[in-house]
Amino acid sequence: DGGITQSPKYLFRKEGQNVTLSCEQNLNHDAMYWYRQDPGQGLRLIYYSQIVNDFQKGDIAEGYSVSREKKESFPLTVTSAQKNPTAFYLCASTESPDRGQPQHFGDGTRLSIL
Amino acid sequence: AQSVAQPEDQVNVAEGNPLTVKCTYSVSGNPYLFWYVQYPNRGLQFLLKYITGDNLVKGSYGFEAEFNKSQTSFHLKKPSALVSDSALYFCAVRDAGYSTLTFGKGTMLLVSP
């Protein structure tokens, strides 16, 4: 089955530590996105990429970094500069945002502070 | 700029009754509008979209939404609610000149037996 796989499902970060969240898709989608979800705040865009080797900051990029070396992979690193990283992180992809195609979502990674 | 508002944090409805979850939007151009549903500890699932054409859009699981340009609204509706419809619902908008979606804060739908 085609879809988006996020791993791990749960992740714990120690103070001063960087952690990387994995997002892999086998839908052959060009565009990929990372969102942060906090209770009562909806989804906020962290980073997005519309093509391999290119990505753009979203609304809340500070303290995060990404790479897009392969079409199917878009990992997110939560750096130690992100002082409040506890949240539910969602990865999404879409074939063609310009044609109004919907985004497909993974099942998320829940990040907590130890 | 593009924005979307979901004015109700929670909607309560009895099983078998019709339900409406409200969404209003603001864009400078023509909107692409979407509804998604989220169950606990899961990702978002696409329900339906409006791009152009008929103002009444039908989607998955018996849901539909009506695009109203004059009221800048895109309310989600279902004629007869099920307990299994209880979930968090998100409206999202994309202005034709933007590359990304803007999501509302979500509305929790609770359907009682």
Side-chain angles (χ1 to χ4, degrees), chain A residues 76-108:
Chain A
L76 173 74
T77 296
V78 184
T79 75
S80 58
Q82 173 49 247
K83 298 306 180 187
N84 183 23
T86 297
F88 191 50
Y89 290 86
L90 288 163
C91 179
S93 71
T94 187
E95 179 179 4
S96 176
D98 291 340
R99 291 207 301 268
Q101 296 299 317
Q103 293 183 11
H104 297 254
F105 284 80
D107 274 340

Side-chain angles (χ1 to χ4, degrees), chain A residues 6 21 34-46 60 64 76 84-91 105-111, chain B residues 6 36-45 87-90 103-108:
Chain A
Q6 289 188 243
L21 284 60
W34 274 106
Y35 294 94
R36 171 178 171 141
Q37 184 178 14
D38 295 282
Q41 294 195 46
L43 275 67
R44 292 182 291 168
L45 182 65
I46 305 172
I60 56 165
Y64 300 96
L76 173 74
N84 183 23
T86 297
F88 191 50
Y89 290 86
L90 288 163
C91 179
F105 284 80
D107 274 340
T109 292
R110 191 167 297 279
L111 177 61
Chain B
Q6 295 182 240
Y36 290 86
V37 61
Q38 184 182 35
Y39 295 97
N41 296 311
R42 301 295 302 273
L44 277 64
Q45 296 178 31
L88 185 58
Y89 289 79
F90 289 98
F103 285 84
K105 294 188 176 182
T107 298
M108 180 63 72

Side-chain angles (χ1 to χ4, degrees), chain B residues 3 16 23 28 38 44 50-51 57 63 68 71 74 85 88 90 102 110 113:
Chain B
S3 65
C23 171
S28 56
Q38 184 182 35
L44 277 64
Y50 172 83
I51 304 300
V57 178
F63 284 94
N68 187 317
Q71 297 186 8
F74 189 57
D85 292 330
L88 185 58
F90 289 98
T102 297
L110 294 177

